[in-house]
Amino acid sequence: NAGVTQTPKFRVLKTGQSMTLLCAQDMNHEYMYWYRQDPGMGLRLIHYSVGEGTTAKGEVPDGYNVSRLKKQNFLLGLESAAPSQTSVYFCATGWRDVTDTQYFGPGTRLTVL
Amino acid sequence: GQNIDQPTEMTATEGAIVQINCTYQTSGFNGLFWYQQHAGEAPTFLSYNVLDGLEEKGRFSSFLSRSKGYSYLLLKELQMKDSASYLCAVRDSNYQLIWGAGTKLIIKP
């Protein structure tokens, strides 16, 4: 089992360009999350999904869009990249059970010039 | 606002014991989590506390006091591979995880 995978691992964009980050999981988890991690700050939730076809905003959703057309995939889109979106992006998955343990993908390091 | 505080960095010696503290102020409380994150890698789950007291899991233990808004992660018999960042996270009343900035633990021989 691959667990949680993210594509791509690294990307450099110019301001104004667009891109899509893909998160895929084979753990049959209902819940999927997109976080960003910046130096000196905690993980911040961008968007999340509680099931196929549903999405919701997290703490820092502006400038991002998401889609969950299939249970196993969660896409994060940047329509017009800005330098402030330079960050490491992590996808996580899990069940909404008692412990709510989240399983993280390896991350995507994005630089916007 | 919601806030989670942890020391930025700690240093300890191989074979010793270290305690990493976490204090929190959140809108509601539905559990506290500790994750480990090695440099350049993804966070991985370490422990979960929802009731007051100590949870022990091998060399790692986690303590919670809900009345004080306080938790600590205790690492015993430190090994070089324990060099990592340790992230404290609290699940609030909306069942969202609020994350601390993490504590970078440096282990010296």
Side-chain angles (χ1 to χ4, degrees), chain A residues 36-44 59, chain B residues 87 99-102:
Chain A
R36 60 178 291 173
Q37 187 175 41
D38 300 295
M41 302 182 71
L43 287 161
R44 291 183 291 170
E59 180 187 356
Chain B
L87 313 181
W99 296 81

Coordinates of all heavy atoms in Angstrom, one line a residue, chain A residues 36-44 59, chain B residues 87 99-102:
Chain A
R36 N -0.7 24.0 5.0 CA 0.5 24.6 4.6 C 1.4 24.7 5.9 O 0.8 25.0 7.0 CB 0.3 25.9 3.9 CG -0.4 27.0 4.7 CD -0.4 28.3 3.9 NE 0.9 28.9 3.7 CZ 1.1 30.0 2.9 NH1 0.2 30.5 2.2 NH2 2.3 30.5 2.9
Q37 N 2.7 24.6 5.7 CA 3.6 24.7 6.8 C 4.7 25.7 6.5 O 5.4 25.6 5.5 CB 4.2 23.4 7.2 CG 5.1 23.4 8.5 CD 5.6 22.0 8.8 OE1 6.0 21.2 8.0 NE2 5.5 21.7 10.1
D38 N 4.7 26.8 7.3 CA 5.7 27.8 7.1 C 6.6 27.9 8.3 O 6.2 27.6 9.4 CB 5.0 29.2 6.9 CG 4.1 29.1 5.7 OD1 4.6 29.0 4.6 OD2 2.8 29.2 5.9
P39 N 7.9 28.3 8.1 CA 8.8 28.4 9.2 C 8.3 29.2 10.4 O 7.8 30.3 10.2 CB 10.1 29.1 8.6 CG 9.9 28.8 7.1 CD 8.5 28.8 6.8
G40 N 8.5 28.7 11.6 CA 8.1 29.4 12.8 C 6.6 29.4 13.1 O 6.1 30.0 14.0
M41 N 5.8 28.7 12.2 CA 4.4 28.7 12.4 C 3.9 27.2 12.4 O 4.5 26.3 11.9 CB 3.7 29.4 11.3 CG 4.1 30.9 11.1 SD 3.2 31.7 9.8 CE 1.6 31.9 10.6
G42 N 2.7 27.0 13.1 CA 2.2 25.7 13.1 C 1.5 25.4 11.7 O 1.3 26.3 10.9
L43 N 1.2 24.1 11.5 CA 0.4 23.8 10.3 C -0.9 24.5 10.3 O -1.5 24.7 11.3 CB 0.1 22.3 10.4 CG 1.3 21.3 10.1 CD1 1.0 19.9 10.6 CD2 1.6 21.3 8.6
R44 N -1.2 25.0 9.1 CA -2.5 25.8 9.0 C -3.4 25.1 8.0 O -2.9 24.8 6.9 CB -2.2 27.2 8.6 CG -1.5 28.0 9.8 CD -1.4 29.5 9.4 NE -0.4 29.7 8.3 CZ -0.2 30.8 7.7 NH1 -0.9 31.9 7.9 NH2 0.7 30.9 6.7
E59 N -8.7 27.4 7.9 CA -8.3 28.6 8.5 C -7.8 29.6 7.5 O -8.0 30.8 7.6 CB -7.1 28.3 9.5 CG -6.5 29.5 10.2 CD -5.3 29.1 11.1 OE1 -5.0 27.9 11.1 OE2 -4.7 30.0 11.6
Chain B
L87 N 5.4 18.3 17.5 CA 4.3 19.2 17.3 C 3.1 18.9 18.2 O 2.7 17.7 18.3 CB 3.7 19.1 15.8 CG 4.8 19.1 14.7 CD1 4.1 19.0 13.3 CD2 5.6 20.3 14.7
W99 N -2.6 23.8 15.6 CA -1.3 23.3 15.8 C -0.3 24.3 16.4 O -0.4 25.5 16.0 CB -0.7 22.9 14.4 CG -1.4 21.8 13.7 CD1 -2.6 21.8 13.0 CD2 -1.0 20.4 13.7 NE1 -2.9 20.6 12.6 CE2 -2.0 19.7 13.0 CE3 0.1 19.7 14.2 CZ2 -1.9 18.3 12.7 CZ3 0.2 18.3 14.0 CH2 -0.8 17.7 13.3
G100 N 0.5 23.8 17.2 CA 1.6 24.7 17.7 C 2.7 24.7 16.6 O 2.7 23.9 15.7
A101 N 3.7 25.6 16.8 CA 4.7 25.8 15.8 C 5.8 24.7 15.9 O 6.6 24.6 15.0 CB 5.4 27.2 16.0
G102 N 5.7 23.9 16.9 CA 6.7 22.8 17.1 C 7.9 23.1 17.9 O 8.3 24.3 18.0

